[in-house]
Amino acid sequence: MSTAYTNDEIAALQEKAKRHLWLHFTRMSSYADSDVPVIVRGEGQYVYDQRGKRYLDGLAGLFVSQIGHGRTEVAEAGARQASELAYFPLWSYAHPQAIELADRLSAMAPGDLNRVFFTGSGSEAVESAWKLAKQYFKAIGQPNRYKVISRSIAYHGTSMGALAITGLPGIKEPFEPLPPGGVRVPNTNFYRAPEFVADDIEAFGIWAADEIERAILREGEDSVAAVFLEPLQNSGGCFPPPPGYFQRVREICDRYGVLLVSDEVICAFGRLGYYFGSERYGYQPDIITFAKGVTSGYAPLGGMLVRDALMEPFSQGQSTFLHGVTFAGHPVSCAVAMANLDVFEKEDLLGNVRANEAAFRATLEKLNDLPIVGDVRGDGYFYGIELVKDKTSRQTFNDDESERLLRGFLSHALFDAGLICRADDRGDPVIQLSPPLTCTQEHFDEMEQILRAVLSQAWTKI
Ligand SMILES: Cc1ncc(COP(=O)(O)O)c(C=O)c1O
């Protein structure tokens, strides 16, 4: 299929984009003198722009396209559903697609996470989990529990509640005051661990987990409702949990009656080689929040999987969880999610990630010979490459250098070279990769080659 637009079509779209479209988290001024990148088509691991130029989708869109692009069977499942029942709410009614998907997800989820509350997005899932925690504790006679603990630099979404949980001061500040109760603890970046645990990853993990206990005690142990943690923290550049970290966190949560919410908006559905990130790292959450990969982006959907016990107060008498959104569990999205999960099973995508993740890591680790590469870290198909000014001292870039390097050069240069990935400086500067789960060695090599060329060039510009 040809994707190339004519020059007139390109110019017309550019003009409309610049005049009317507002891109998210984007400095719109940066497109004043250059084209807005417009992606028109996807196939497998690749997407194509208006001119027909091909890009390796090294970020799966935005940690979304697990099965890759252009799967007609998934698209057709959505079309069939739209013809049969395009929409009906989950407010007092159900539809077969939400029922079947809830049943399937419950069977896949660890332990007694058997109840699915659908949303339309990840932020809504996180928001819902906090609201559930608050109302649940009120319902069981612990009304003072409303605070939520999360890690610094962690991203948990942008709606006001989710933003209060997010640990990135820069994107919170314009919206202060946020809902009260967000409490921050250190993240698990071992590369930048405090000196007293810098040589011992297990001690580092225990220290980081114990910081959660210290926060609970500091805040008042009967005031904390939940701890929100990603299995592998995305923002800041892919921090895997140190060994023992989650086991210790689980113990602490149990000791103080605090809920453990595993925010798996990125890490669920194969990103780490398992349906759920908590499975990979061997811990049992009370709530899992999910979105993105549940549909591989063929339609929007999110939700939370909840332990039976958290539903109990709401299954008796006049009690109701007082929360809902119009498009939650949209029939088309649920049908698409079922077809997406069929592809996972048919093609054993979890098996593909597990079989190839060591090769992905080894290929990216070749970049360690570049002076700008400080650390390559991650798991599964989810990696961060931390960039440094000095490898030995691990010195990072100052704000000006980071601005010039990431925004001024790397983002554009990587895109121009045909790789979609993320150059992020919300923590220390990192490049992030999160490709479709269908990728194999040829795609790892392509990523490595493009990164090698562009990072080598970046070094000459510092
Ligand atoms: C861990 C985590 N939680 C929540 C969100 C918010 O999801 P959404 O953008 O769908 O609202 C994200 C988005 O990337 C995320 O990574």
Side-chain angles (χ1 to χ4, degrees):
M1 191 201 309
S2 164
T3 57
Y5 285 40
T6 64
N7 285 340
D8 285 350
E9 287 169 333
I10 292 172
L13 264 186
Q14 284 296 328
E15 196 195 323
K16 289 177 196 165
K18 289 182 183 185
R19 177 72 192 88
H20 296 295
L21 186 63
W22 202 334
L23 302 181
H24 295 206
F25 278 116
T26 302
R27 274 187 209 168
M28 295 304 285
S29 64
S30 60
Y31 297 118
D33 301 319
S34 64
D35 278 2
V36 175
V38 178
I39 301 297
V40 300
R41 185 172 78 87
E43 193 179 321
Q45 299 84 0
Y46 294 90
V47 293
Y48 297 81
D49 72 10
Q50 291 167 295
R51 294 184 167 81
K53 181 175 167 191
R54 189 177 92 152
Y55 302 82
L56 177 56
D57 186 3
L59 205 64
L62 196 56
F63 318 100
V64 167
S65 310
Q66 316 294 69
I67 60 172
H69 300 277
R71 302 279 197 155
T72 45
E73 73 267 44
V74 180
E76 280 161 8
R80 272 197 307 278
Q81 184 54 45
S83 314
E84 191 169 308
L85 177 69
Y87 174 72
F88 221 73
L90 292 179
W91 301 45
S92 303
Y93 305 93
H95 50 74
Q97 288 64 39
I99 297 170
E100 295 294 351
L101 184 60
D103 176 63
R104 189 165 180 178
L105 294 176
S106 299
M108 288 159 58
D112 61 347
L113 295 170
N114 289 320
R115 189 64 69 161
V116 184
F117 185 92
F118 285 114
T119 66
S121 70
S123 295
E124 285 176 3
V126 168
E127 197 86 26
S128 303
W130 192 4
K131 287 184 81 174
L132 174 62
K134 282 173 129 175
Q135 201 186 339
Y136 168 78
F137 281 119
K138 285 200 167 69
I140 64 164
Q142 300 182 38
N144 295 331
R145 284 194 192 267
Y146 71 92
K147 295 179 186 170
V148 280
I149 293 174
S150 58
R151 286 179 285 196
S152 70
I153 319 181
Y155 181 86
H156 292 284
T158 49
S159 56
M160 290 294 185
L163 195 57
I165 301 173
T166 286
L168 289 157
I171 64 164
K172 294 158 71 106
E173 189 269 327
F175 310 105
E176 300 283 0
L178 291 167
V183 177
R184 237 37 8 91
V185 291
N187 61 46
T188 48
N189 182 358
F190 186 56
Y191 185 67
R192 302 222 172 259
E195 219 167 289
F196 61 94
V197 282
D199 295 329
D200 182 344
I201 193 164
E202 287 185 25
F204 170 64
I206 297 302
W207 167 79
D210 286 351
E211 281 293 308
I212 292 176
E213 180 169 34
R214 284 187 273 278
I216 292 172
L217 294 172
R218 201 168 51 236
E219 294 296 323
E221 55 183 279
D222 58 357
S223 75
V224 179
V227 176
F228 280 72
L229 301 170
E230 291 165 90
L232 184 154
Q233 184 179 321
N234 159 44
S235 195
C238 296
F239 311 141
Y245 176 74
F246 273 111
Q247 291 63 33
R248 183 80 156 210
V249 171
R250 181 70 267 181
E251 279 167 32
I252 293 165
C253 287
D254 288 344
R255 191 172 313 140
Y256 298 101
V258 170
L259 301 178
L260 174 53
V261 182
S262 192
D263 184 357
E264 307 206 6
V265 166
I266 291 179
C267 291
F269 303 106
R271 181 61 42 212
L272 301 174
Y274 291 77
Y275 278 120
F276 297 99
S278 41
E279 270 180 285
R280 170 163 189 144
Y281 298 125
Y283 65 95
Q284 178 63 46
D286 299 299
I287 299 175
I288 289 177
T289 49
F290 62 87
K292 300 192 186 253
V294 67
T295 58
S296 286
Y298 285 77
L301 184 67
M304 57 174 174
L305 270 151
V306 172
R307 286 185 54 209
D308 290 328
L310 294 178
M311 170 75 183
E312 258 166 43
F314 302 100
S315 44
Q316 298 154 20
Q318 296 181 358
S319 180
T320 305
F321 179 35
L322 294 168
H323 180 54
V325 285
T326 301
F327 284 142
H330 193 288
V332 172
S333 303
C334 290
V336 158
M338 292 294 271
N340 177 48
L341 294 174
D342 289 345
V343 174
F344 269 73
E345 285 176 17
K346 256 191 310 204
E347 299 182 13
D348 187 21
L349 291 184
L350 302 185
N352 191 55
V353 173
R354 291 185 205 178
N356 288 307
E357 67 171 306
F360 187 29
R361 176 190 288 272
T363 307
L364 294 179
E365 281 179 346
K366 288 189 200 167
L367 297 167
N368 271 325
D369 65 355
L370 300 178
I372 197 172
V373 170
D375 195 25
V376 176
R377 57 183 177 244
D379 274 326
Y381 273 19
F382 194 17
Y383 272 84
I385 299 169
E386 183 164 335
L387 306 180
V388 287
K389 206 164 145 181
D390 185 313
K391 246 174 147 70
T392 318
S393 65
R394 302 186 179 182
Q395 187 191 354
T396 192
F397 298 95
N398 64 31
D399 287 352
D400 277 354
E401 291 164 337
S402 189
E403 168 78 22
R404 267 192 293 122
L405 184 69
L406 289 188
R407 293 182 200 271
F409 176 69
L410 276 175
S411 297
H412 304 290
L414 288 163
F415 185 70
D416 289 346
L419 177 63
I420 293 184
C421 60
R422 186 176 207 174
D424 191 4
D425 64 352
R426 292 179 300 178
D428 293 308
V430 287
I431 305 277
Q432 284 187 292
L433 295 162
S434 158
L437 310 183
T438 51
C439 282
T440 55
Q441 188 62 48
E442 62 177 301
H443 308 106
F444 308 152
D445 288 338
E446 190 175 341
M447 286 183 235
E448 195 269 341
Q449 281 151 20
I450 293 175
L451 285 166
R452 174 169 296 279
V454 174
L455 290 175
S456 301
Q457 215 188 332
W459 186 247
T460 65
K461 293 185 178 291
I462 293 164

Coordinates of all heavy atoms in Angstrom, one line a residue, residues 37-39 41 43 45-58 69 414-420 446 450:
P37 N 5.7 16.3 12.8 CA 5.9 15.0 12.3 C 4.5 14.3 12.2 O 3.7 14.3 13.2 CB 6.7 14.2 13.3 CG 6.9 15.2 14.5 CD 6.3 16.5 14.1
V38 N 4.1 13.8 11.0 CA 2.8 13.2 10.8 C 3.0 11.8 10.4 O 3.6 11.5 9.4 CB 2.0 14.0 9.7 CG1 0.7 13.3 9.5 CG2 1.8 15.4 10.2
I39 N 2.5 10.9 11.2 CA 2.6 9.4 11.0 C 1.3 9.0 10.4 O 0.2 9.3 10.9 CB 2.9 8.6 12.3 CG1 4.2 9.1 12.9 CG2 2.9 7.1 12.0 CD1 5.4 8.9 12.0
R41 N 0.7 5.7 8.7 CA 0.4 4.3 8.6 C 1.3 3.4 9.4 O 2.5 3.9 9.7 CB 0.5 3.9 7.1 CG 0.1 2.5 6.7 CD 0.2 2.3 5.2 NE 1.5 2.1 4.7 CZ 2.1 1.0 4.6 NH1 1.6 -0.1 5.0 NH2 3.4 0.9 4.1
E43 N 2.8 -0.8 10.0 CA 2.8 -2.2 9.6 C 3.9 -2.9 10.4 O 5.1 -2.6 10.3 CB 3.1 -2.2 8.1 CG 2.8 -3.6 7.5 CD 3.1 -3.6 6.0 OE1 2.8 -2.6 5.3 OE2 3.7 -4.6 5.5
Q45 N 6.4 -3.8 12.9 CA 7.3 -3.0 13.8 C 7.5 -1.6 13.3 O 8.3 -0.8 14.0 CB 8.6 -3.7 14.1 CG 8.5 -5.1 14.7 CD 8.2 -6.1 13.6 OE1 8.2 -5.9 12.4 NE2 8.1 -7.4 14.0
Y46 N 7.0 -1.2 12.2 CA 7.3 0.0 11.5 C 6.1 1.0 11.3 O 5.0 0.5 11.2 CB 8.0 -0.2 10.2 CG 9.3 -1.0 10.3 CD1 9.4 -2.3 10.3 CD2 10.5 -0.2 10.4 CE1 10.6 -3.0 10.5 CE2 11.7 -0.9 10.6 CZ 11.7 -2.3 10.6 OH 12.9 -2.9 10.8
V47 N 6.4 2.3 11.3 CA 5.4 3.2 10.9 C 5.9 4.1 9.8 O 7.2 4.1 9.6 CB 4.9 4.1 12.1 CG1 4.2 3.3 13.2 CG2 6.1 4.9 12.8
Y48 N 5.0 4.8 9.1 CA 5.4 5.5 7.9 C 4.9 6.9 8.0 O 3.7 7.1 8.5 CB 4.9 4.8 6.7 CG 5.4 3.5 6.5 CD1 4.9 2.4 7.2 CD2 6.5 3.2 5.6 CE1 5.5 1.1 7.1 CE2 7.0 2.0 5.5 CZ 6.5 0.9 6.2 OH 7.1 -0.4 6.1
D49 N 5.7 7.9 7.5 CA 5.2 9.3 7.5 C 4.5 9.6 6.2 O 4.4 8.8 5.3 CB 6.3 10.3 8.0 CG 7.3 10.5 6.9 OD1 7.2 10.0 5.7 OD2 8.4 11.1 7.2
Q50 N 4.1 10.9 6.1 CA 3.4 11.3 4.9 C 4.2 11.1 3.6 O 3.6 11.0 2.5 CB 3.1 12.8 4.9 CG 2.1 13.2 6.0 CD 2.2 14.7 6.2 OE1 3.2 15.3 6.6 NE2 1.1 15.4 5.8
R51 N 5.5 11.2 3.7 CA 6.3 11.0 2.5 C 6.6 9.6 2.2 O 7.4 9.3 1.3 CB 7.6 11.8 2.6 CG 7.3 13.3 2.6 CD 8.6 14.2 2.7 NE 8.3 15.6 2.4 CZ 7.8 16.4 3.3 NH1 7.6 16.0 4.5 NH2 7.5 17.7 2.9
G52 N 6.1 8.7 3.0 CA 6.4 7.3 2.8 C 7.7 6.8 3.5 O 8.1 5.7 3.4
K53 N 8.3 7.7 4.3 CA 9.5 7.3 5.0 C 9.2 6.4 6.2 O 8.2 6.6 6.9 CB 10.3 8.6 5.5 CG 11.6 8.2 6.2 CD 12.3 9.5 6.6 CE 13.4 9.1 7.6 NZ 14.0 10.2 8.2
R54 N 10.0 5.4 6.3 CA 9.8 4.3 7.3 C 10.6 4.6 8.6 O 11.7 5.0 8.6 CB 10.3 3.0 6.7 CG 9.9 1.8 7.5 CD 10.4 0.5 6.7 NE 11.7 0.2 7.2 CZ 12.2 -1.1 7.2 NH1 11.5 -2.0 6.7 NH2 13.4 -1.3 7.6
Y55 N 9.9 4.3 9.7 CA 10.6 4.4 11.0 C 10.4 3.2 11.8 O 9.3 2.6 11.9 CB 9.9 5.6 11.9 CG 10.0 6.9 11.2 CD1 9.0 7.2 10.2 CD2 11.0 7.8 11.5 CE1 9.1 8.5 9.6 CE2 11.0 9.1 10.9 CZ 10.1 9.4 9.9 OH 10.1 10.6 9.3
L56 N 11.4 2.7 12.5 CA 11.3 1.6 13.4 C 10.6 2.1 14.7 O 11.1 3.1 15.3 CB 12.6 1.0 13.8 CG 12.7 -0.1 14.8 CD1 11.8 -1.3 14.4 CD2 14.1 -0.7 15.0
D57 N 9.5 1.5 15.1 CA 8.7 2.1 16.2 C 9.3 1.5 17.5 O 8.8 0.6 18.1 CB 7.3 1.7 16.1 CG 6.4 2.3 17.2 OD1 7.0 3.1 18.0 OD2 5.2 2.1 17.2
G58 N 10.4 2.1 17.9 CA 11.1 1.6 19.1 C 10.5 2.0 20.4 O 11.0 1.6 21.5
H69 N 1.8 -3.0 14.4 CA 0.8 -2.2 13.7 C 0.2 -3.0 12.5 O 0.8 -4.0 12.1 CB 1.5 -1.0 13.1 CG 2.1 -0.1 14.1 ND1 1.3 0.8 14.8 CD2 3.3 0.0 14.6 CE1 2.1 1.5 15.7 NE2 3.3 1.0 15.6
L414 N 17.4 11.3 16.1 CA 17.0 9.9 16.1 C 15.8 9.7 15.2 O 15.7 8.7 14.4 CB 16.6 9.5 17.6 CG 17.9 9.3 18.5 CD1 17.5 9.3 19.9 CD2 18.6 8.1 18.1
F415 N 14.9 10.6 15.2 CA 13.7 10.6 14.3 C 14.2 10.6 12.9 O 13.8 9.8 12.1 CB 12.7 11.7 14.7 CG 11.5 11.6 13.9 CD1 10.5 10.6 14.2 CD2 11.2 12.5 12.9 CE1 9.3 10.5 13.5 CE2 10.0 12.5 12.2 CZ 9.0 11.5 12.5
D416 N 15.0 11.6 12.6 CA 15.5 11.7 11.2 C 16.2 10.5 10.7 O 16.2 10.1 9.6 CB 16.5 12.9 11.1 CG 15.7 14.2 11.2 OD1 14.5 14.2 11.1 OD2 16.4 15.3 11.4
A417 N 16.9 9.8 11.7 CA 17.6 8.6 11.3 C 16.7 7.3 11.3 O 17.1 6.2 11.0 CB 18.7 8.3 12.4
G418 N 15.4 7.6 11.5 CA 14.4 6.5 11.3 C 14.1 5.6 12.6 O 13.6 4.5 12.4
L419 N 14.4 6.2 13.7 CA 14.1 5.5 15.0 C 13.1 6.3 15.8 O 13.5 7.4 16.2 CB 15.4 5.1 15.7 CG 15.1 4.4 17.1 CD1 14.5 3.1 16.9 CD2 16.5 4.3 17.8
I420 N 12.0 5.7 16.2 CA 11.1 6.4 17.2 C 11.5 5.8 18.5 O 11.4 4.6 18.8 CB 9.7 6.2 16.8 CG1 9.4 6.9 15.5 CG2 8.8 6.6 17.9 CD1 8.0 6.9 15.0
E446 N 19.0 -2.9 14.3 CA 18.7 -1.6 13.7 C 18.7 -0.5 14.7 O 19.3 0.6 14.5 CB 17.4 -1.7 13.0 CG 17.0 -0.5 12.1 CD 15.7 -0.7 11.3 OE1 15.2 -1.9 11.2 OE2 15.2 0.3 10.9
I450 N 21.4 2.7 14.7 CA 21.0 4.1 14.7 C 21.5 4.8 15.9 O 22.0 5.9 15.9 CB 19.5 4.2 14.5 CG1 19.1 3.6 13.1 CG2 19.0 5.6 14.7 CD1 17.6 3.6 12.9

